[in-house]
Amino acid sequence: MTDDMTETTLRAAPQTEAVEYARRLAARTMRAWSLIDREELVTAIVAELVANAVRHAGTALELRLLRGSGRVRVEVRDRATQMPRLTVPGPLDESHRGLFIVDRFASSWGAEPVSGGKVVWAEVST
């Protein structure tokens, strides 16, 4: 891997192991990009978005990490058309935390319908 790489991709089946693969790829990528101070934020966002895709979409998914000027963009594409909704979890809620965490950690995030599904994205300032 070289430092000038500005994109990395992972394609995965909708299985729980995909979350760990995605998390490891994100950590390696952030180190390769010399963005260790942002590794924790990005890996947390990646884990939540991939977990949401596995849990709610249940389709093949694709994770993309893109490095732009002053930001890292995380994109997770799946084949479900239902858009994610941010719900604020109660103190004892075990679920519904994913997008709440993304909303706290990302400088911005959103979801867009694309041909054959949707892309949920989040950006972290560098």
Side-chain angles (χ1 to χ4, degrees):
M1 262 194 239
T2 60
D3 286 339
D4 60 357
M5 183 181 69
T6 55
E7 179 179 337
T8 188
T9 304
L10 169 76
R11 288 180 184 82
Q15 296 164 333
T16 50
E17 301 85 67
V19 177
E20 190 52 38
Y21 297 145
R23 192 184 195 93
R24 272 188 251 151
L25 176 71
R28 274 198 317 269
T29 301
M30 296 308 286
R31 288 182 205 132
W33 289 346
S34 301
L35 294 172
I36 292 168
D37 61 324
R38 290 290 179 256
E39 181 182 331
E40 210 174 310
L41 289 177
V42 170
T43 54
I45 289 168
V46 163
E48 293 303 333
L49 293 183
V50 171
N52 279 355
V54 169
R55 190 177 308 120
H56 300 296
T59 69
L61 60 99
E62 181 179 284
L63 164 69
R64 287 175 71 207
L65 297 171
L66 303 142
R67 184 179 183 177
S69 61
R71 66 184 169 79
V72 171
R73 182 176 172 103
V74 176
E75 295 181 350
V76 176
R77 181 183 185 139
D78 63 48
R79 296 188 183 142
T81 53
Q82 175 136 12
M83 289 293 148
R85 281 194 331 274
L86 174 64
T87 53
V88 178
L92 302 175
D93 280 356
E94 289 293 316
S95 58
H96 304 299
R97 295 189 174 278
L99 288 177
F100 184 70
I101 289 169
V102 171
D103 191 60
R104 294 287 298 273
F105 288 179
S107 43
S108 61
W109 71 273
E112 292 150 16
V114 293
S115 174
K118 70 175 170 301
V119 171
V120 183
W121 58 270
E123 292 184 349
V124 172
S125 303
T126 56

